[in-house]
Amino acid sequence: MASVSIDTPLNGVEAEEKVNQSYGSCGDDAEEDALAEELGIRPYSSIVAFAMCLNCIIGTGCFGLPYAIKEAGLLLTPILLVLGGVLALISMNFTLEALARADAYYQVKNAGRNAGAPQYRIGYRKFDFSRIAELFSGPHGRTFCQVVIVIYGFGTLWG
């Protein structure tokens, strides 16, 4: 399996050591913010975060919602909305768990055998869905994930 590199202003070895040292400071926001600044990692601004949330909320679905409510009826609509919300919550939890496990995997891999138990938390490493699928399912999992993302994209464009 290929090793991970972090593109930062520090060289790769220094950056990896800093990120691995940061795992001992769980919950110390000031220390993590200082580390992020030193590594050249900039979090999203409030405006960008707001725009992303707005995009997720509005999307194209809100324009079709009144029609869907009219077609489904007042009895079935709340049931389907609650079911959709629960499924979205479960999906969010699975995604966050996969991100934390992927970060713990790299923490153990880079620290060697003397690392002890990994801390399952989301750090500064960035993982996309394809990379997580490759970590836990191999190259076939990555290919399957990319195919699903492409089908999802075409379905979104078609709808």
Side-chain angles (χ1 to χ4, degrees):
M1 189 167 290
S3 66
V4 170
S5 65
I6 300 174
D7 298 326
T8 67
L10 300 175
N11 71 34
V13 175
E14 282 182 86
E16 280 296 325
E17 288 175 4
K18 292 269 187 193
V19 170
N20 288 334
Q21 288 171 2
S22 75
Y23 285 104
S25 63
C26 225
D28 187 359
D29 290 337
E31 189 174 326
E32 288 201 358
D33 290 344
L35 174 65
E37 186 175 326
E38 185 178 350
L39 292 174
I41 299 170
R42 294 185 329 239
Y44 292 124
S45 69
S46 298
I47 294 172
V48 172
F50 176 75
M52 292 174 93
C53 287
L54 194 63
N55 183 31
C56 288
I57 292 169
I58 294 177
T60 57
C62 74
F63 297 122
L65 205 53
Y67 176 74
I69 291 172
K70 176 185 164 271
E71 291 297 315
L74 292 177
L75 180 64
L76 190 57
T77 297
I79 294 170
L80 292 177
L81 283 175
V82 168
L83 180 65
V86 168
L87 292 176
L89 185 65
I90 291 170
S91 175
M92 177 197 67
N93 286 330
F94 281 152
T95 302
L96 292 174
E97 179 73 21
L99 284 171
R101 286 177 184 254
D103 202 59
Y105 170 79
Y106 276 108
Q107 177 188 353
V108 169
K109 182 179 176 186
N110 292 331
R113 295 182 182 264
N114 300 329
Q119 295 179 4
Y120 292 97
R121 68 184 195 114
I122 299 172
Y124 286 110
R125 290 186 181 92
K126 295 181 181 177
F127 299 97
D128 60 7
F129 285 113
S130 298
R131 184 73 181 127
I132 291 174
E134 183 178 20
L135 279 175
F136 299 123
S137 301
H140 295 297
R142 180 173 194 236
T143 303
F144 178 74
C145 182
Q146 288 176 338
V147 167
V148 168
I149 290 172
V150 167
I151 291 171
Y152 171 76
F154 278 115
T156 303
L157 289 174
W158 196 335

